[in-house]
Amino acid sequence: MHVTTEHTTAIDTRWVGMGFGLFSAMLLVYGLAREPLPPWGVVSALILLVVCAPLAGFSLQPSPRLARLRSLGLVILLAALALALVGLSGALVSPFWPALLLPMLAALLLMPGGAGAGVAAAIWAAYACFIVAMPPPMRVDSAAQWLLQSALVGLVGLVLERSISAQQRLQARTAARERALHDFLVVSNRLRVTAQPQRVLAYVAGAVQASGDFDCVTLSLLDWNHAQATVAVAVGARGRRLAAVEGLHIAWAEFERRLESGVRLGAYAISCATLPFRNLPDETHLLIPLSGQFDEPRGVLSVSVARAQEAVLLDALPLLELLANQAAAALDNVELYATLADRVQHATADLERNADELRAARDRAERSTRSRARSRLPSMSARCLSKPSNWWCAPQLPT
């Protein structure tokens, strides 16, 4: 399962096409109503705009590559028509300058981020070139009007860019949840067939890290005999292993104090400001105990993330608690499998010992029977020799 959110948008292009078509149609109606006999060039540009604008809106698909190139070509055509319409109807004093919003918005929707903003800025800069064509007395007023229009267009572009960015963040978070859920299912399947605690913890740590690309994820095991926790697995950003952290022995009282004084965020998760082995500024941490079948802690899961990304941590919290429970259950299963394996081994040894004893007893019984049979042979032979008329003695003599 591979999910990607690069250059994607959930905006329905059908509505964009309908909006572009309605906007260009209103410009045509406005042009015809404003002037009974507008210039033929202006009318032609308006009609072509009415035809091309909906097509550009309907085709704003970022992928695949061929569709993207076709959409980019329609945006360029739309920009050329809008600039031609503005140039034929008065340049900077043209009442049809809002037609430039169509290719600019299309560029922002087609290429979210810096590329779309650059194309939109280039279209607006081309519109500013009409200042040079204005008569010298009107250039100052035209430049002032262009600046006022720029403020309005910049406000619209800012709102649209923020909306697209928020939408992309939402899509990225949704995709991260899907990946994390998929990893959770994969981990669950793997934990069914493994009986090695280290491998169990490595699987769980990888699934936790994949759910949010956190700064640090650790899984520590608790040793009640020594009242200390040992960091078994530590994973940093982008899945790199933190060898300097793995193997650290920490007094369980350090974790216990944070679990008792921290802020509860979920059913089991506790938020704290520091960890016994990590104390970085502007970073928040999450502790989730690994509770066994008798609610006895077997270890603890820790997740560290920058405070600016705390929302990602909160979104992934239910899944993190599921993974912690899965890890605790898997550790219980590992211990159960080990106990059952020991019992099977002892039972097999007992069976083999009993089988050996039975074989030895059987051998002793056979040897005893043979020795008794041999001890009766001389007396029987003597009786047969003393009474040769006993015909039945001969066949029973041993060969």
Side-chain angles (χ1 to χ4, degrees):
M1 177 179 175
H2 179 70
V3 181
T4 180
T5 58
E6 184 180 2
H7 299 305
T8 59
T9 176
I11 295 177
D12 194 338
T13 55
R14 293 173 299 178
W15 291 104
V16 176
M18 291 174 58
F20 281 7
L22 181 62
F23 187 80
S24 56
M26 294 301 296
L27 286 178
L28 177 61
V29 172
Y30 171 74
L32 295 177
R34 185 173 179 272
E35 243 183 287
L37 293 175
W40 175 245
V42 174
V43 175
S44 301
L46 286 171
I47 293 175
L48 291 175
L49 201 65
V50 170
V51 174
C52 296
L55 293 177
F58 289 136
S59 63
L60 292 178
Q61 298 294 337
S63 60
R65 184 176 181 180
L66 182 60
R68 185 180 178 86
L69 292 176
R70 184 173 60 249
S71 301
L72 185 59
L74 286 173
V75 171
I76 295 174
L77 176 61
L78 199 61
L81 288 174
L83 288 171
L85 174 62
V86 170
L88 292 173
S89 58
L92 286 176
V93 296
S94 170
F96 298 107
W97 72 267
L100 295 170
L101 294 176
L102 294 175
M104 294 172 66
L105 293 177
L108 292 175
L109 292 174
L110 179 64
M111 298 172 287
V119 173
I123 295 173
W124 192 251
Y127 173 55
C129 294
F130 287 118
I131 296 177
V132 181
M134 298 297 293
M138 299 180 60
R139 288 180 182 174
V140 177
D141 293 339
S142 300
Q145 183 178 352
W146 179 81
L147 289 175
L148 181 61
Q149 294 171 351
S150 299
L152 176 61
V153 171
L155 179 61
V156 174
L158 178 62
V159 172
L160 180 63
E161 193 276 333
R162 290 293 89 193
S163 300
I164 295 175
S165 298
Q167 178 193 18
Q168 287 181 325
R169 287 194 298 269
L170 179 61
Q171 285 182 309
R173 289 160 64 178
T174 302
R177 291 178 184 176
E178 292 177 358
R179 286 194 301 270
L181 181 58
H182 174 262
D183 292 339
F184 173 73
L185 296 176
V186 172
V187 167
S188 299
N189 292 331
R190 288 178 176 175
L191 295 184
R192 294 177 185 174
V193 297
T194 182
Q196 301 178 9
Q198 189 68 22
R199 184 172 295 181
V200 168
L201 299 178
Y203 285 157
V204 174
V208 171
Q209 179 65 8
S211 65
D213 193 19
F214 303 113
D215 294 339
C216 181
V217 175
T218 67
L219 280 160
S220 304
L221 291 179
L222 173 59
D223 182 4
W224 282 108
N225 295 327
H226 300 87
Q228 69 179 9
T230 302
V231 181
V233 178
V235 180
R238 296 176 180 84
R240 56 189 177 88
R241 296 293 288 266
L242 303 178
V245 180
E246 293 181 351
L248 291 178
H249 300 288
I250 303 164
W252 176 246
E254 294 290 334
F255 285 111
E256 195 172 24
R257 178 171 58 84
R258 288 169 172 82
L259 289 172
E260 293 176 353
S261 62
V263 179
R264 184 175 294 275
L265 297 180
Y268 310 102
I270 302 296
S271 176
C272 56
T274 62
L275 292 176
F277 54 86
R278 192 176 181 91
N279 185 12
L280 297 177
D282 298 329
E283 195 173 59
T284 185
H285 310 277
L286 198 68
L287 290 176
I288 305 178
L290 308 180
S291 300
Q293 56 182 341
F294 301 110
D295 290 334
E296 183 179 82
R298 302 184 59 90
V300 63
L301 165 67
S302 73
V303 182
S304 305
V305 68
R307 294 188 186 277
Q309 301 295 325
E310 191 172 4
V312 178
L313 183 62
L314 295 178
D315 287 340
L317 181 57
L319 183 61
L320 297 182
E321 291 183 333
L322 280 176
L323 288 169
N325 290 336
Q326 187 77 8
L331 292 175
D332 285 339
N333 291 336
V334 168
E335 184 176 349
L336 178 61
Y337 292 155
T339 304
L340 290 177
D342 290 340
R343 291 182 179 179
V344 170
Q345 185 176 3
H346 291 318
T348 303
D350 292 340
L351 288 174
E352 291 178 353
R353 185 169 55 254
N354 293 335
D356 292 339
E357 292 176 356
L358 287 174
R359 284 192 294 269
R362 184 194 62 190
D363 294 341
R364 287 195 299 269
E366 290 178 351
R367 286 194 299 269
S368 177
T369 302
R370 285 195 296 269
S371 63
R372 285 196 299 269
R374 290 193 188 98
S375 64
R376 286 197 295 269
L377 284 177
S379 60
M380 186 180 298
S381 300
R383 287 197 299 272
C384 291
L385 292 173
S386 63
K387 297 179 180 180
S389 59
N390 292 340
W391 59 269
W392 49 269
C393 292
Q396 295 188 18
L397 290 174
T399 59

